[in-house]
Amino acid sequence: MTIAPDQSLTGDPLTDELVPLVTALADAVYAGDAARTAEIRAHAEAVVSARGADPAEAGWALATVAAAMVPGGAHPRLLLAWRAIPALQEVDP
């Protein structure tokens, strides 16, 4: 499926802007990169602030977008299975 650059994935401009940050955050978390995680949080705060919202809401906004990317009703053991399988913890550069 190809999405045109001007086509919304979510129907909300702020949420659309956070989607790439959430995917980058997932990569940073999987890699255990705390510094990159903090950079992404700071970027999200700037994005949220630029849209006129309280930058303190950035964490909640990131969590909400991330939750939308996870299949609802899935068991937490399944969602976190990558932590138990060492080969899945390796992140390609």
Side-chain angles (χ1 to χ4, degrees), residues 18-42 44 58-59 61-66 69 82:
L18 291 173
V19 168
L21 292 177
V22 169
T23 58
L25 180 61
D27 286 342
V29 169
Y30 291 157
D33 188 341
R36 180 73 179 125
T37 299
E39 290 172 9
I40 293 164
R41 169 66 188 251
L62 287 170
T64 302
V65 174
M69 296 175 159
W82 66 272

